[in-house]
Amino acid sequence: MQKLDMIYEGKAKKVFQTDDPALVIVDYKDDATAFNGEKKGTISGKGVINNKLTNFLMQKLEQAGVPTHFVRELSDRETLVKSVHIVPLEVIIRNVSAGSFAKRYGVEEGIVNDSPTIEFSYKNDALGDPLINSYHAVALKLATPEEIETIKKYAFKVNDVLKAFFLECGINLIDFKLEFGKLPDGAIVLADEISPDTCRFWDSKTGEKLDKDRFRRDLGNVEDAYQEVLRRVMG
Ligand code: TMP
Ligand code: ASP
């Protein structure tokens, strides 16, 4: 597999073309940003951890019946994935109140939802990724109603699988963000990453935060938290 030109550089990853038009290579960086890029930093070793964790979890989800873009890990930081058209929606599932949910609705963090919630943000940095509902997404032609139904079904399935799995690792899965892609045949697959950058993980005994909130909120021991998640998940 030949790594060709870079076709996209995001805040945490680069994407490269390959000699197969159906496949691209994702290359994970140590760069970290928060608050729509206002806060910038480096989390040393993050790219390697997020690559390994994402690939492990994507394979677990495939086995549970959620199709993903994953093809194979190429190196510590590089993974071969199917080339998709990213649906410009951030799909957020919440099991426990935290972050923007707690702030927006004026509740404390840590209140357990009776059942998980789902919400969508329009992936648009210039607009600050505004919260939208499924009708807005259809009106903006970001996805069809059928695609949104599929995305919802997969997102809740991801939650069922990951919530149970992380609990076995002593981690409470508070909330997370997913992105989906569309293959040339129109099929929807899980894309992007699943990592401490995109999930909130709280130690199930102590409540200690083991995710990017340590960076966002200057809590210290950021690298240690990422390492600890990798250790608990992959041994
Ligand atoms: P929020 O509470 O800030 O809306 O975040 C909800 C979840 O989504 C949390 O697990 C962090 C993740 N997330 C991202 O992956 N990317 C983002 O740009 C934001 C704002 C949140
Ligand atoms: N990565 C996002 C940004 O830079 C935000 C976040 O994860 O908090 O805006």
Side-chain angles (χ1 to χ4, degrees):
M1 186 54 52
Q2 237 188 313
K3 192 175 182 183
L4 302 177
D5 291 348
M6 185 169 81
I7 46 181
Y8 173 78
E9 178 161 14
K11 286 178 273 204
K13 298 185 286 296
K14 295 176 186 170
V15 181
F16 295 83
Q17 245 167 356
T18 70
D19 46 358
D20 181 340
L23 301 174
V24 296
I25 293 172
V26 178
D27 194 333
Y28 286 75
K29 306 191 283 187
D30 286 351
D31 298 352
T33 65
F35 315 117
N36 203 15
E38 263 175 57
K39 182 182 172 93
K40 289 192 174 68
T42 302
I43 302 174
S44 164
K46 170 171 91 79
V48 175
I49 293 171
N50 288 2
N51 185 36
K52 286 186 197 303
L53 265 175
T54 296
N55 294 341
F56 178 86
L57 297 172
M58 290 269 180
Q59 289 174 85
K60 186 168 270 301
L61 289 165
E62 282 275 359
Q63 284 164 15
V66 179
T68 78
H69 71 165
F70 176 78
V71 178
R72 76 171 182 274
E73 191 166 292
L74 299 176
S75 74
D76 268 3
R77 289 177 187 272
E78 296 166 306
T79 294
L80 190 65
V81 301
K82 292 175 187 164
S83 176
V84 297
H85 164 76
I86 289 284
V87 178
L89 290 173
E90 300 203 335
V91 180
I92 296 165
I93 297 270
R94 301 181 190 268
N95 295 307
V96 177
S97 67
S100 70
F101 180 95
K103 194 170 173 198
R104 183 180 316 117
Y105 303 120
V107 297
E108 305 165 35
E109 295 199 309
I111 300 167
V112 179
N113 296 333
D114 290 338
S115 49
T117 65
I118 191 164
E119 72 202 40
F120 302 106
S121 292
Y122 176 22
K123 243 178 94 69
N124 183 318
D125 282 341
L127 299 175
D129 298 339
L131 184 68
I132 63 172
N133 68 31
S134 57
Y135 294 89
H136 299 148
V138 172
L140 293 167
K141 300 189 169 34
L142 308 182
T144 66
E146 295 72 29
E147 287 165 354
I148 289 175
E149 281 315 303
T150 303
I151 286 172
K152 278 194 204 166
K153 182 182 74 178
Y154 289 158
F156 283 119
K157 177 78 182 174
V158 169
N159 188 46
D160 288 343
V161 173
L162 294 189
K163 199 178 146 193
F165 171 70
F166 278 107
L167 207 51
E168 289 170 23
C169 306
I171 290 171
N172 216 336
L173 179 61
I174 303 302
D175 58 30
F176 56 92
K177 185 265 298 181
L178 301 174
E179 293 183 26
F180 290 87
K182 225 163 111 170
L183 294 173
D185 68 359
I188 296 284
V189 296
L190 182 62
D192 195 51
E193 65 178 278
I194 306 172
S195 73
D197 274 14
T198 63
C199 303
R200 284 196 173 91
F201 296 132
W202 294 359
D203 182 287
S204 59
K205 288 216 175 67
T206 64
E208 188 191 358
K209 293 183 187 357
L210 299 171
D211 58 61
K212 194 175 166 191
D213 272 348
R214 301 204 72 85
F215 168 79
R216 296 189 189 99
R217 303 178 186 188
D218 295 320
L219 301 176
N221 300 324
V222 185
E223 281 87 358
D224 294 348
Y226 279 66
Q227 285 290 351
E228 179 62 15
V229 173
L230 184 71
R231 194 189 63 75
R232 289 197 198 182
V233 169
M234 299 186 66

